[in-house]
Amino acid sequence: MTPDGNRTSVAVIGAGPAGLTAAYELVRRQVPVTVLEGDAMVGGISRTAEREGWRFDIGGHRFFTKVPEVEALWHEILPDEDFLLRPRMSRIFYDGKLYDYPLKAGNALGNLGPVEAVRCVASYLWARVRPPKNQDTLEGWIVARFGKRLYEHFFKTYNEKLWGVPVDQLPADFAAQRIKNLSLTGAVLNALKPKRNQKEITSLIEEFQYPKYGPGMMWEAAARQVQERGGTVVLEEKVRTVHWEPGRGVTGLTTVVTGGYGSGAGAPEATRTDVGTEKHYEADQVISSMPFSSLVHALDPKPPAEVLSAADGLKYRDFLTVALVLPVEAGFPDNWIYIHSPDVQVGRIQNFGSWSPYLVKDGRTCLGLEFFVNVGDDTWNRSDAELIAQGGRELEHLGLAKAADVERGFVVRMPKAYPFYDAGYKENVEVIRRWMEATTPNLHPVGRNGMFRYNNQDHSMMTAMLTVQNIADGATHDIWDVNVEEDYHEEVSAQRTDATADDVGSPRPSAA
């Protein structure tokens, strides 16, 4: 036994969608499980942050999936009456005008004007005749499908805001994974279909389900049900060390009580009084949704130098939301608007009232201005007051609202929000994966950060479900095969039942 007497069959690191799905599936099978979460609330990036009665969906999560098992689990955790059916609407703000997204040829070319429309069509036709030789970059991939002029209008600025690097330095993996069939031709064909039939072309769902109090409602309910069925969910304990032995694999974990370090990300106040205390857990199996690179560095003894170097090569993009309370008239019907204007820093603006009326208060709405940042940079380090003031100024500059109408503001910070796919990420992930499979086969990475895989919520859940089947049912699924093909999360096809969805836990990385 450990000194603390904490012994479990399976320990789960992290209480986000992947971790809680794993725990839920384990207690369903009556397997003892302990979930360890460093924050003071569950949900990870799929939490619902709450401040003074206002609720914020961090990153925006449309509940839409082609995986029957995931759909069934959502409705097992929450009753049908807790779901709203919401219209999907997103637009692009560019050069003072709003463009439909996904792009619709008539709307886009009409807004650009006849001269520029002709140039864009000519540029597109040229790209079809003479496509870029190098389509391994995000720039080349998009230009081949939309032409250079539409790429420069609708893709370049936003992606450079999102990732913080030139688009020609980004691999095409973002687009290949998430917007497989989207092209100008596809957009034209789709525009000719009845609206209810616009589900065969990539990225074109029209409605989605949504928990009325935001995505965190789902994961708060899941955590309660895990505990009611005999599982344990421990908050405010961050895993510091993952112990392993050659020939045995992982043997246990050491945590440290954090005191709710994530309260700045919308978590409730800390409840633990034993901050700084170490706790110890023994486990036969460990399922990890903590960042892949952090997991490597938590291992004791340390892995070989090449594995540590691969972990150091994995980078993340961080994220913050400036939530501004405004009169309801300042809202818009969109779930969010992508901001392609280079003269403001904000990358996307959510209207939380368009997600659910239960997130806002009568007579008011709340706009969530999203900034893509790196922890420690100038924007991340600005005070809440400075960020709120900046948000008001940028809204006014865009003509979306007056700064003077902002009644209240809040800031929600989210580190390691998105895995950053650079040129070397695949090799780095593979080095770590091969070493873990050979050395610690009872250590199971799952989820977005856990696998360094740009998954949406349902993909993360699916990796957890398959992992539990491997552990408890004797299955032999390769969870690294989930979401490896070129398939975007809003595409629907009656012939397909693979793991694709739009939760959406991330900004659109390449299509806007």
Side-chain angles (χ1 to χ4, degrees):
M1 294 292 289
T2 63
D4 301 317
N6 295 319
R7 183 75 176 83
T8 186
S9 179
V10 182
V12 176
I13 304 174
L20 286 172
T21 296
Y24 192 95
E25 291 295 306
L26 286 163
V27 296
R28 188 204 298 276
R29 292 165 171 80
Q30 299 182 328
V31 176
V33 59
T34 298
V35 181
L36 300 167
E37 169 58 52
D39 217 330
M41 69 185 304
V42 301
I45 197 173
S46 297
R47 72 186 61 198
T48 300
E50 184 174 355
R51 305 282 182 82
E52 299 179 7
W54 298 93
R55 293 179 172 88
F56 319 128
D57 182 345
I58 309 303
H61 292 76
R62 294 183 179 125
F63 281 68
F64 171 80
T65 184
K66 296 192 294 181
V67 187
E69 298 90 342
V70 170
E71 177 87 21
L73 186 58
W74 283 341
H75 288 273
E76 184 176 323
I77 294 172
L78 286 180
D80 290 348
E81 57 266 27
D82 282 344
F83 284 95
L84 306 175
L85 187 62
R86 304 299 291 168
R88 178 201 189 280
M89 183 174 181
S90 305
R91 287 181 291 177
I92 295 169
F93 185 95
Y94 173 72
D95 197 25
K97 296 178 181 178
L98 288 167
Y99 293 76
D100 293 334
Y101 179 72
L103 292 176
K104 295 180 180 176
N107 169 263
L109 299 178
N111 273 353
L112 288 169
V115 174
E116 185 58 25
V118 170
R119 289 173 177 167
C120 288
V121 171
S123 174
Y124 167 72
L125 293 174
W126 179 252
R128 303 303 294 171
V129 174
R130 297 287 298 273
K133 293 181 179 179
N134 182 8
Q135 295 184 36
D136 293 333
T137 68
L138 183 56
E139 178 178 271
W141 194 98
I142 298 173
V143 169
R145 288 155 179 80
F146 287 88
K148 190 171 181 64
R149 295 191 76 90
L150 283 175
Y151 157 75
E152 291 175 342
H153 286 312
F154 297 117
F155 301 97
K156 186 175 188 295
T157 298
Y158 180 80
N159 280 283
E160 291 181 349
K161 283 186 186 185
L162 173 56
W163 300 114
V165 298
V167 184
D168 61 5
Q169 295 180 19
L170 292 167
D173 297 50
F174 293 116
Q177 184 175 327
R178 301 171 75 88
I179 57 170
K180 174 185 176 184
N181 296 322
L182 188 60
S183 66
L184 187 60
T185 301
V188 172
L189 292 174
N190 185 76
L192 299 176
K193 291 185 176 185
K195 193 169 185 180
R196 283 285 178 176
N197 293 331
Q198 294 182 358
K199 293 187 178 181
E200 295 295 326
I201 303 297
T202 301
S203 189
L204 297 174
I205 67 162
E206 295 294 331
E207 296 175 324
F208 59 93
Q209 300 174 87
Y210 193 72
K212 63 183 183 181
Y213 291 114
M217 183 183 188
M218 172 75 66
W219 303 114
E220 291 159 13
R224 286 193 303 270
Q225 291 172 39
V226 165
Q227 294 178 94
E228 289 167 358
R229 298 183 186 190
T232 301
V233 178
V234 180
L235 301 181
E236 300 178 54
E237 282 192 30
K238 183 179 181 180
V239 171
R240 172 179 284 177
T241 308
V242 178
H243 304 281
W244 68 279
E245 297 176 10
R248 288 187 62 194
V250 173
T251 58
L253 308 169
T254 297
T255 67
V256 60
V257 178
T258 63
Y261 68 90
S263 59
E269 292 299 320
T271 59
R272 300 286 291 266
T273 59
D274 51 348
V275 175
T277 303
E278 285 192 346
K279 305 287 183 179
H280 304 278
Y281 298 83
E282 284 184 355
D284 300 320
Q285 305 278 341
V286 173
I287 297 174
S288 172
S289 64
M290 71 188 291
F292 205 30
S293 55
S294 301
L295 175 62
V296 171
H297 284 288
L299 287 163
D300 181 30
K302 292 296 183 185
E306 62 269 22
V307 178
L308 293 171
S309 178
D312 290 337
L314 298 179
K315 308 300 180 186
Y316 298 83
R317 190 67 163 153
D318 311 300
F319 175 86
L320 63 83
T321 294
V322 178
L324 302 179
V325 176
L326 291 147
V328 69
E329 294 78 18
F332 39 78
D334 310 69
N335 308 123
W336 53 49
I337 295 174
Y338 300 99
I339 306 299
H340 286 226
S341 301
D343 47 343
V344 293
Q345 190 178 357
V346 63
R348 192 174 68 175
I349 303 176
Q350 293 195 64
N351 180 12
F352 294 119
S354 292
W355 288 92
S356 169
Y358 295 92
L359 300 183
V360 298
K361 301 179 183 180
D362 289 344
R364 302 288 182 272
T365 194
C366 188
L367 303 184
L369 284 68
E370 299 177 350
F371 294 82
F372 311 120
V373 297
N374 293 319
V375 169
D377 68 15
D378 289 344
T379 305
W380 181 273
N381 288 336
R382 286 176 193 148
S383 68
D384 288 4
E386 290 173 317
L387 289 168
I388 291 165
Q390 177 182 347
R393 290 194 303 271
E394 295 197 359
L395 277 180
E396 184 161 322
H397 180 83
L398 294 168
L400 296 176
K402 294 181 179 179
D405 288 340
V406 175
E407 300 176 9
R408 189 78 172 89
F410 311 91
V411 177
V412 180
R413 292 174 170 83
M414 184 60 65
K416 288 185 170 63
Y418 310 116
F420 177 63
Y421 285 6
D422 60 15
Y425 89 95
K426 281 185 178 178
E427 182 179 350
N428 289 326
V429 168
E430 189 60 22
V431 167
I432 299 168
R433 175 187 170 186
R434 285 198 305 265
W435 182 85
M436 284 188 177
E437 288 177 348
T439 312
T440 56
N442 60 339
L443 176 59
H444 311 276
V446 296
R448 173 186 285 187
N449 277 352
M451 301 173 68
F452 201 83
R453 179 68 62 80
Y454 207 159
N455 288 337
N456 272 346
Q457 181 173 233
D458 71 333
H459 287 94
S460 295
M461 294 173 65
M462 196 66 189
T463 64
M465 296 169 82
L466 296 179
T467 294
V468 171
Q469 291 175 23
N470 288 346
I471 292 171
D473 303 341
T476 57
H477 301 296
D478 184 353
I479 65 163
W480 295 89
D481 282 343
V482 175
N483 192 27
V484 295
E485 60 187 82
E486 296 184 354
D487 204 349
Y488 185 59
H489 300 217
E490 295 182 2
E491 180 185 7
V492 170
S493 173
Q495 289 75 40
R496 300 289 298 278
T497 58
D498 51 329
T500 57
D502 175 29
D503 49 311
V504 160
S506 60
R508 289 290 159 256
S510 50

